C-alpha cells in the first residue's frame, strides 16, 4: 500500500466521532472483553448529526472468535460464514455490530477474496471509534487501506474514464453483487464527495500487481447466495432478527412490510418466506 494512501486512511479513521458513538463503541468492545481489538463506525449514520431513532453500524474486530464468545457455536458460525451480526443498545441509541477477526478483516478487505461485502464498505469513509492499543490501530489502518485499491482493481478502468466515474461504476458493480435493500441510484450517490478526489490517485497507485479484475458474473452469483446464507444465519443469531430485517428493508426500500405473529416466532422461516416476494417487488436487489 502506498504510504500516501496509508496516511489518508489513518487520518480519516482518526477523525473524532460523536461522544455517544465513542461510548457505544467502547461498550461493544467491553462486551467481548480481552478479545476486542478495534471498533469501526461506518455507514450512512456517519454523515448524520442527529443519531436518535437511527440504527448505527459498527464492526468489532477481535483477536480470535473462540476468545470473543462464551458459546462455541457462535465462534463456529463466525468462522464458517463471517461475520456474525448482533443488535446493541447504549445511551439511548440503537446499533448493530458485525464481528470479524483481525485475520478475516485483513483478508476480506483484499483482492484475495471475490466477496465484495467488506471491501466495498471500507472503501467508503469510516472511523476508528475505539482501539485497544497502537498495535490494534495499525492493523485496522492496514486492513482498511486495502479496500479502495481492491474495489477499483475489481472494477477495472474502462478506457479513459474519469476517476470519479470509475468509483461510481465500481460501487454500482458491488451493489449488484449483494442483496441490497437500497433505492436505485444509491451506489452513485456515495461518491459525490471531495473525499474520493483526494483518494483517487493514491488508491490507483496502490492497486497490487496481478489484482483480480472482473469475474462479476461469478461475484454476483456467489454474492447473492452468500447474502441469502447470511440472512438465514442472522435470523438465528440476531435477537429480533426478523423484525430487524423487515425494518431495514422498509427503511431503505420504502416498503411497509409487517410481520405476522408466526414470522416473529420463527425468524428463519420468516426470512425464507419473505425473500421471494422481496425479490419480485424489487425491495432488495
Amino acid at each position: 500500500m502506498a504510504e500516501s494512501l496509508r496516511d489518508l486512511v489513518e487520518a480519516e479513521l482518526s477523525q473524532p466521532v460523536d461522544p455517544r458513538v465513542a461510548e457505544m463503541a467502547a461498550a461493544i468492545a467491553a462486551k467481548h472483553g480481552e478479545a476486542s481489538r478495534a471498533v469501526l463506525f461506518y455507514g450512512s449514520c456517519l454523515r448524520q448529526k442527529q443519531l436518535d431513532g437511527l440504527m448505527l453500524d459498527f464492526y468489532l474486530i477481535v483477536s480470535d472468535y473462540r476468545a470473543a464468545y462464551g458459546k462455541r457455536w457462535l465462534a463456529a458460525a463466525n468462522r464458517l460464514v463471517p461475520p456474525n451480526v448482533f443488535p446493541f443498545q447504549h445511551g439511548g441509541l440503537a446499533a448493530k455490530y458485525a464481528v470479524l477477526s483481525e485475520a478475516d478483516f485483513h483478508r476480506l478487505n483484499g483482492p484475495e477474496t471475490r466477496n465484495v461485502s467488506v471491501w466495498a464498505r471500507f472503501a467508503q469513509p469510516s472511523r476508528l471509534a475505539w482501539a485497544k492499543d497502537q498495535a490494534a490501530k495499525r492493523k485496522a489502518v492496514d486492513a482498511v487501506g486495502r479496500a479502495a485499491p481492491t474495489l477499483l482493481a475489481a472494477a477495472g478502468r474502462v478506457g479513459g474514464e474519469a476517476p470519479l466515474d470509475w468509483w461510481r461504476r465500481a460501487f454500482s458493480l458491488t451493489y449488484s453483487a449483494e442483496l441490497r435493500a437500497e433505492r436505485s441510484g444509491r451506489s452513485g450517490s456515495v461518491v459525490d464527495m471531495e473525499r474520493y478526489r483526494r483518494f483517487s490517485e493514491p488508491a490507483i497507485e496502490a492497486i497490487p500487481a496481478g489484482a483480480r479484475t472482473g469475474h462479476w458474473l461469478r461475484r454476483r452469483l456467489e454474492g447473492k447466495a452468500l447474502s441469502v446464507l447470511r440472512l438465514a444465519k442472522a435470523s438465528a443469531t440476531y435477537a429480533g432478527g426478523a423484525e430487524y430485517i423487515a425494518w431495514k428493508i422498509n427503511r431503505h426500500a420504502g416498503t411497509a412490510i409487517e410481520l405476522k405473529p408466526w414470522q416473529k416466532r420463527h425468524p428463519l422461516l420468516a426470512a425464507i418466506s419473505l425473500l421471494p416476494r422481496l425479490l419480485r417487488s424489487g425491495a432488495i436487489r
Side-chain angles (χ1 to χ4, degrees):
M1 180 176 61
E3 187 64 28
S4 56
L5 177 60
R6 192 185 195 286
D7 289 344
L8 285 171
V9 170
E10 184 170 17
E12 183 172 80
L13 287 176
S14 300
Q15 290 181 32
V17 296
D18 184 294
R20 292 193 295 170
V21 171
E23 290 171 6
M24 179 173 275
I28 290 170
K31 184 177 179 180
H32 293 268
E34 288 300 309
S36 298
R37 298 288 293 162
V39 181
L40 294 119
F41 177 48
Y42 75 102
S44 59
C45 291
L46 197 67
R47 301 184 292 274
Q48 303 295 325
K49 293 184 178 180
Q50 176 54 258
L51 300 176
D52 295 283
L54 300 179
M55 177 75 75
L56 280 61
D57 292 298
F58 295 91
Y59 262 80
L60 168 67
I61 311 304
V62 299
S63 58
D64 174 77
Y65 295 131
R66 185 68 190 92
Y69 299 112
K71 299 178 180 178
R72 289 183 180 273
W73 74 270
L74 283 173
N78 215 146
R79 189 177 302 109
L80 291 171
V81 186
N84 284 357
V85 181
F86 302 99
F88 198 75
Q89 293 189 355
H90 183 81
L93 295 178
K96 70 179 190 300
Y97 67 94
V99 181
L100 284 177
S101 67
E102 282 183 318
D104 276 347
F105 189 55
H106 187 271
R107 175 178 62 85
L108 292 170
N109 269 303
E112 56 267 42
T113 177
R114 280 188 298 271
N115 184 263
V116 309
S117 179
V118 175
W119 49 257
R121 283 160 177 77
F122 286 95
Q124 301 175 53
S126 59
R127 302 286 184 268
L128 185 59
W130 179 90
K132 185 171 186 177
D133 50 34
Q134 285 300 312
K137 179 180 178 180
R138 285 195 298 271
K139 286 189 175 183
V141 172
D142 288 342
V144 173
R146 307 182 80 209
T150 300
L151 171 84
L152 295 176
R157 197 168 193 171
V158 176
E161 72 182 337
L164 287 184
D165 291 332
W166 189 358
W167 286 101
R168 292 188 183 97
R169 185 173 53 80
F171 281 122
S172 179
L173 286 167
T174 67
Y175 272 58
S176 73
E178 295 184 278
L179 294 179
R180 301 294 302 234
E182 308 281 2
R183 297 180 187 277
S184 61
R186 167 68 179 162
S187 58
S189 69
V190 299
V191 301
D192 292 334
M193 300 168 59
E194 179 62 29
R195 181 256 190 188
Y196 290 94
R197 293 188 177 90
R198 291 186 291 108
F199 271 67
S200 290
E201 185 175 346
I204 293 168
E205 290 178 352
I207 293 175
R212 187 177 291 169
T213 301
H215 305 287
W216 282 97
L217 177 58
R218 186 170 179 178
R219 290 182 199 272
R220 290 188 189 102
L221 293 174
E222 292 181 358
K224 302 284 188 184
L226 186 56
S227 292
V228 172
L229 185 58
R230 284 176 175 158
L231 184 68
K233 188 183 77 165
S235 69
T237 62
Y238 191 111
E243 290 93 334
Y244 163 70
I245 292 167
W247 173 87
K248 183 174 177 64
I249 293 168
N250 288 339
R251 177 171 179 261
H252 288 288
T255 53
I257 296 169
E258 293 185 8
L259 297 179
K260 297 179 175 63
W262 72 265
Q263 290 174 312
K264 295 179 181 180
R265 291 194 304 270
H266 305 285
L268 178 56
L269 294 177
I272 295 171
S273 67
L274 283 173
L275 185 61
R277 179 159 64 92
L278 298 174
L279 290 170
R280 287 196 304 270
S281 68
I284 58 175
R285 300 171 177 84

